[in-house]
């Protein structure tokens, strides 16, 4: 990589000719493919943004000028040219570079990001601060056409157009969110790119001028000079102009000459401008440009054929969630599936394909999705939402104020709950238990495996209140799937292993960690002769207090196993329940059910889950 070897900071880019910039960009694409093939990561967005990144770093003087990457999944080239090339193969690995910008990693990273649509708000605030402190630097927010559909981005545009501070918005438009972008804004961008009357006029005019002998060429050159003027005159108000932000574009995001010219010009404006840069997702690597969605957040893959590696173990929880929702829709068309720009990620694409009328992709708009679902529910439909645990954070107010207080019938699949590995701190699904626990009137469940997930989807679909089912990113356990849906008793835990006598400890586990708890219990018994009871808690809300208290009676150690936060997570729910007063059910359970009668106490619960009966019969 002859050219890349000489790039130690963005300043080195300024020494390159246009041809060398193009050659460097090819070197970086090759490196990106190697890195993501090995570590997994966001390939197609990064490939599409290589030229744009090099052009920005050549024109703007970072870190003095602030280049803000919205979401930040497309910042790999930025990392490579800002002194992190040597560590790029550590990206998304423990102790390595993060897959998103991080202030702790480099002074070139303005924000810690990962969630969409935040760049414009930060750019606007920074611009006010800069101007009030009479400082002088450029602020460039790079936002994708997908991220632009997010509510906070639109709120920011509204305010930026009002305060009119000097800042540059680079709209990186590749027509894609993760899936093809949706909605009116996306349509407007398409219109600006391809349907603009001025482009058609320009082509006709160019042809005509070139055909005039002698005078034609100078006239053509003159016309080129006034092109910018023509654009402004011919385009009947872009949405951005209407909002008070000067629109410039479209600009070819793979043409260095054009980008450098327009970026340099944008430095001179004293008000907000938006540069509409058109790029191609997956540019330079055919499997990614042919299927940008699959390579958006890619597993490691074989570079030769673009085939993903290591996806052999059972169907994912997302897939089972999608398939279960599909079955609900098939049986009752009042069920509708909703996603905020993640049809594939949530597994709901199967509904999109087979029942398009019963599927809505609302764009990156988690808050809106909950209100929209609320409206559907009020109108007699049965909305089922797929959302990653981390992105639910966006919509906590909607969950509390708009849904829970009215006890609306919504079923929510909380995907990627728990730890998410390489996606790093911004994407951990660890807060949902703490956020949802205090919300009144909801049910919160966590299946131990994919079979239980489908039964939870069914059981949740029969309730008349908001229901949340949290499940992880990891592949399923590979357990057999029941052919039929079966209703689980709401609010009842499942005892999977019952220690003879009181046992040394009660292991209370949540989600697939139940299997780890079982494995630990078996090891303890086998190797150390220590007997423990293992409970699949199943319902974080309502908690099966009676059964848990009964089982806990006479036991000295209670161990909770979960993937939520220490504060507010499952452990704290158990603590909270136990820490009560003298009227605590723990105490009454102890009094009422001293061991060995705990099993009988357990059985007094409203109905006994089948698995409990089987487990106790065999123990
Ligand atoms: C609030 C929020 N919801 C969902 C996501 C998941 N997500 C990551 S990238 C992405 C698509 C972004 O599209 P765009 O901004 O156009 O960037 P591109 O990848 O196309 O370059 C989505 C939906 C997110 N990061 N944040």
């Amino acid at each position: 990589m002859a050219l890349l070897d000489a790039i130690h900071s963005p300043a080195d880019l300024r020494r390159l000719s246009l041809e060398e910039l193009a050659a460097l960009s090819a070197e970086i694409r090759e490196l990106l493919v190697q890195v993501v093939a090995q570590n997994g990561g966001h390939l197609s967005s990064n490939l599409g943004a290589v030229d744009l990144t090099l052009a920005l770093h050549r024109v703007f003087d970072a870190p003095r000028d602030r280049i803000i990457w919205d979401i930040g999944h497309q910042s790999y080239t930025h990392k490579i040219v800002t002194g992190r090339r040597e560590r790029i193969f550590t990206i998304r690995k423990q102790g390595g570079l993060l897959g998103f910008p991080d202030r702790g990693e480099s002074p070139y990273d303005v924000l810690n990001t990962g969630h969409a649509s935040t760049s414009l708000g930060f750019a606007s605030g920074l611009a006010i601060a800069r101007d009030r402190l009479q400082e002088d630097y450029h602020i460039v927010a790079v936002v994708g056409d997908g991220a632009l559909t997010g509510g906070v981005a639109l709120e920011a545009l509204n305010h930026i157009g009002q305060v009119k501070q000097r800042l540059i918005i680079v709209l990186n438009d590749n027509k894609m969110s993760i899936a093809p972008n949706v909605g009116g804004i996306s349509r407007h961008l398409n219109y600006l790119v391809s349907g603009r009357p001025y482009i058609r006029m320009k082509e006709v005019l160019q042809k005509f001028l070139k055909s005039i002998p002698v005078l034609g060429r100078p006239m053509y050159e003159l016309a080129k000079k006034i092109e910018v003027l023509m654009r402004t005159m011919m385009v009947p108000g872009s949405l951005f102009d209407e909002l008070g932000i000067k629109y410039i574009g479209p600009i070819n995001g793979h043409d260095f000459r054009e980008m450098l010219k327009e970026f340099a010009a944008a430095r001179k404006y004293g008000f907000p401008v938006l540069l509409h840069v058109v790029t191609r997702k997956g540019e330079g690597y055919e499997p990614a440009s042919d299927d940008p969605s699959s390579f958006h957040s890619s597993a490691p893959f074989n570079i030769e054929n673009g085939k993903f590696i290591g996806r052999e173990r059972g169907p994912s929880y997302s897939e089972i969630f999608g398939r279960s929702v599909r079955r609900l829709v098939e049986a009752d068309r009042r069920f509708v599936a909703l996603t905020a720009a993640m049809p594939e990620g949530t597994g709901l694409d199967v509904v999109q394909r087979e029942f398009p009328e019963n599927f809505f992709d609302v764009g990156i708009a988690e808050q809106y999705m909950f209100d929209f679902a609320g409206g559907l529910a009020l109108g007699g439909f049965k909305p089922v939402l797929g959302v990653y645990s981390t992105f639910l954070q966006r919509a906590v107010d909607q969950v509390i104020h708009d849904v829970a207080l009215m006890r609306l019938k919504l079923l929510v699949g909380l995907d990627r709950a728990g730890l998410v590995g390489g996606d790093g701190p911004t994407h951990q699904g660890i807060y949902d238990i703490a956020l949802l626990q205090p919300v009144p009137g909801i049910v919160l469940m966590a299946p131990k495996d994919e079979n239980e997930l489908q039964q939870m989807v069914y059981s949740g679909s029969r309730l008349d209140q908001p229901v949340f089912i949290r499940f992880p990113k990891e592949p399923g356990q590979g357990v057999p799937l029941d052919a039929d849906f079966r209703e689980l008793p709401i609010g009842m835990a499942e005892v999977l292993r019952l220690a003879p006598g009181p046992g040394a400890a009660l292991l209370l586990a949540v989600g697939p960690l139940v299997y780890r708890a079982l494995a630990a219990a078996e090891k303890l018994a086998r190797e150390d002769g220590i007997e423990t009871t293992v409970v699949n808690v199943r319902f974080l809300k309502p908690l099966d207090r009676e059964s848990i208290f009964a089982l806990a009676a006479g036991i000295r150690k209670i161990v909770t196993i979960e993937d939520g936060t220490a504060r507010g997570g499952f452990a704290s729910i158990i603590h909270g329940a136990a820490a009560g007063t003298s009227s605590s059910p723990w105490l009454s359970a102890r009094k009422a059910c001293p061991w060995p009668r705990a099993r009988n106490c357990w059985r007094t619960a409203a109905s006994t889950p089948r698995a409990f009966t089987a487990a106790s019969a065999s123990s």
Side-chain angles (χ1 to χ4, degrees):
M1 303 218 161
L3 287 163
L4 187 54
D5 289 343
I7 305 295
H8 306 292
S9 80
D12 295 325
L13 296 172
R14 286 171 214 134
R15 288 198 289 274
L16 302 183
S17 67
L18 289 186
E19 291 69 31
E20 285 171 327
L21 269 181
L24 173 67
S25 146
E27 286 183 13
I28 292 177
R29 286 202 171 89
E30 198 184 324
L31 178 62
L32 290 176
V33 171
Q34 288 168 5
V35 168
V36 180
Q38 184 179 302
N39 295 12
H42 291 91
L43 186 62
S44 38
S45 314
N46 275 298
L47 288 173
V50 175
D51 300 334
L52 169 61
T53 309
L54 295 181
L56 283 173
H57 271 299
R58 174 153 156 150
V59 170
F60 294 96
D61 181 21
R64 189 182 135 70
D65 291 338
R66 314 289 157 84
I67 303 177
I68 303 174
W69 301 94
D70 202 293
I71 306 177
H73 62 305
Q74 75 293 56
S75 65
Y76 292 12
T77 303
H78 161 81
K79 294 198 179 213
I80 289 170
V81 301
T82 54
R84 285 167 275 182
R85 189 247 167 129
E86 299 307 322
R87 297 174 62 208
I88 196 69
F89 276 97
T90 69
I91 200 161
R92 296 171 61 87
K93 297 280 179 204
Q94 194 171 8
L97 295 178
L98 287 181
F100 295 86
D102 179 60
R103 287 163 64 81
E105 202 175 87
S106 166
Y108 288 92
D109 292 3
V110 181
L111 301 180
N112 292 22
T113 44
H115 288 197
S117 318
T118 63
S119 64
L120 302 186
F122 273 99
S124 179
L126 253 179
I128 297 270
R130 175 201 57 199
D131 294 347
R132 297 223 169 146
L133 296 176
Q134 298 183 339
E135 292 179 325
D136 187 22
Y137 54 84
H138 292 285
I139 296 161
V140 183
V142 187
V143 59
D145 54 307
L148 193 69
T149 64
V152 270
L154 300 175
E155 290 165 31
L157 283 181
N158 189 42
H159 191 234
I160 288 168
Q162 180 197 335
V163 290
K164 289 214 172 294
Q165 232 67 28
R166 172 169 68 97
L167 66 86
I168 298 167
I169 300 168
V170 173
L171 170 59
N172 173 13
D173 179 6
N174 53 25
K175 293 196 168 68
M176 300 284 294
S177 191
I178 294 177
N181 202 6
V182 294
I185 290 180
S186 173
R187 257 200 322 278
H188 183 65
L189 296 179
N190 279 344
Y191 163 74
L192 292 174
V193 172
S194 56
R196 299 199 319 156
Y198 112 86
I199 293 178
R200 284 199 294 276
M201 283 250 335
K202 183 174 126 180
E203 284 165 2
V204 172
L205 195 64
Q206 279 177 355
K207 223 167 156 184
F208 171 69
L209 290 176
K210 279 182 180 167
S211 70
I212 303 174
V214 191
L215 277 181
R217 177 56 60 179
M219 284 168 70
Y220 169 70
E221 293 301 330
L222 180 68
K224 258 174 68 177
K225 287 205 178 106
I226 58 170
E227 186 194 332
V228 176
L229 184 66
M230 279 178 55
R231 280 189 212 177
T232 323
M233 282 166 38
M234 303 297 300
V235 181
S238 76
L239 168 71
F240 308 103
D241 290 303
E242 299 295 323
L243 284 168
I245 301 167
K246 183 179 174 54
Y247 172 88
I248 299 167
I251 299 162
N252 181 346
H254 301 296
D255 180 331
F256 280 111
R257 189 183 300 279
E258 199 173 329
M259 278 190 289
L260 296 179
K261 187 180 110 203
E262 299 289 3
F263 293 173
R267 292 164 58 100
K268 303 200 178 84
Y269 291 108
F271 43 81
V273 294
L274 181 139
L275 301 164
H276 185 181
V277 178
V278 180
T279 61
R280 189 156 164 258
K281 211 160 173 168
E283 176 77 3
Y285 180 62
E286 225 173 274
S289 57
D290 287 351
D291 184 3
S293 294
S294 297
F295 282 90
H296 177 87
S297 178
S298 154
F301 61 92
N302 178 328
I303 296 180
E304 303 304 316
N305 56 21
K307 291 236 154 58
F308 296 110
I309 300 165
R311 285 194 172 169
E312 290 83 22
R313 210 176 112 195
S316 66
Y317 286 89
S318 319
E319 252 176 280
I320 298 299
F321 174 69
R323 280 196 230 161
S324 309
V325 177
R326 187 206 151 279
R327 275 174 77 173
L328 294 179
V329 173
E330 191 176 32
D332 178 351
R333 295 301 155 80
R334 282 174 302 168
F335 281 103
V336 278
L338 273 54
T339 174
M342 319 285 287
E344 281 95 5
T346 55
L348 292 174
D349 54 328
V350 63
V351 184
Q352 180 180 30
R353 277 192 304 278
E354 294 186 33
F355 300 98
E357 290 295 310
N358 291 62
F359 172 86
F360 294 94
D361 177 354
V362 298
I364 305 179
E366 289 81 5
Q367 298 169 314
Y368 168 75
M369 175 166 69
F370 274 86
D371 285 352
F372 175 56
L376 286 167
L378 280 178
F381 278 81
K382 301 176 178 180
V384 187
L385 293 70
V387 61
Y388 288 9
S389 164
T390 187
F391 303 136
L392 173 79
Q393 290 164 208
R394 276 282 158 93
V396 170
D397 185 50
Q398 280 70 22
V399 168
I400 299 171
H401 179 271
D402 303 345
V403 171
L405 293 182
M406 286 187 274
R407 221 182 140 93
L408 296 180
K409 179 179 170 58
L410 250 63
L411 176 59
V412 184
L414 283 181
D415 203 321
R416 271 61 163 183
L419 300 176
V420 297
D423 279 336
T426 52
H427 283 63
Q428 300 300 343
I430 54 177
Y431 299 105
D432 57 87
I433 301 176
L435 291 170
L436 292 175
Q437 197 44 225
V439 181
I442 67 158
V443 170
L444 174 59
M445 0 182 176
K448 68 176 182 299
D449 55 39
E450 59 274 35
N451 188 43
E452 199 164 76
L453 170 60
Q454 61 164 356
Q455 305 306 4
M456 284 187 175
V457 171
Y458 176 65
S459 310
S461 76
R462 310 202 29 102
L463 296 175
D464 219 6
Q465 66 193 106
V467 177
F468 294 80
I469 309 173
R470 73 186 304 272
F471 50 87
K473 179 181 186 181
E474 66 190 51
Q477 303 292 328
V479 298
L481 297 171
D482 296 342
D484 296 324
F485 275 153
R486 172 167 71 89
E487 218 169 326
L488 298 174
I490 299 303
M492 288 207 62
E494 177 192 38
V495 176
L496 292 176
R497 184 188 170 96
L498 198 56
L506 174 62
L507 308 188
L508 302 174
V510 175
L513 289 169
V514 162
Y515 283 95
R516 304 255 183 113
L518 273 176
E522 270 149 34
K523 195 163 179 233
L524 279 170
R526 201 175 49 245
E527 296 179 7
D528 305 303
I530 296 174
E531 286 298 341
T532 52
T533 292
V534 179
V535 176
N536 170 20
V537 172
R538 268 187 180 161
F539 292 88
L540 290 145
K541 190 171 179 146
L543 184 71
D544 189 352
R545 299 158 71 97
E546 288 74 22
S547 303
I548 291 173
F549 295 145
L551 288 163
I555 289 184
R556 282 186 38 230
K557 283 198 175 60
I558 297 171
V559 180
T560 54
I561 304 159
E562 64 165 315
D563 49 9
T565 49
R567 287 193 194 166
F570 173 56
S572 80
I573 294 172
I574 295 294
H575 268 132
T581 58
S582 53
S583 63
S584 159
W586 289 91
L587 297 179
S588 42
R590 262 170 200 273
K591 277 188 212 136
C593 309
W595 190 265
R597 282 182 43 225
R599 184 183 301 206
N600 296 338
C601 289
W602 163 267
R603 282 180 188 283
T604 58
S607 74
T608 308
R610 201 185 302 166
F612 168 70
T613 320
S616 46
S618 64
S619 65

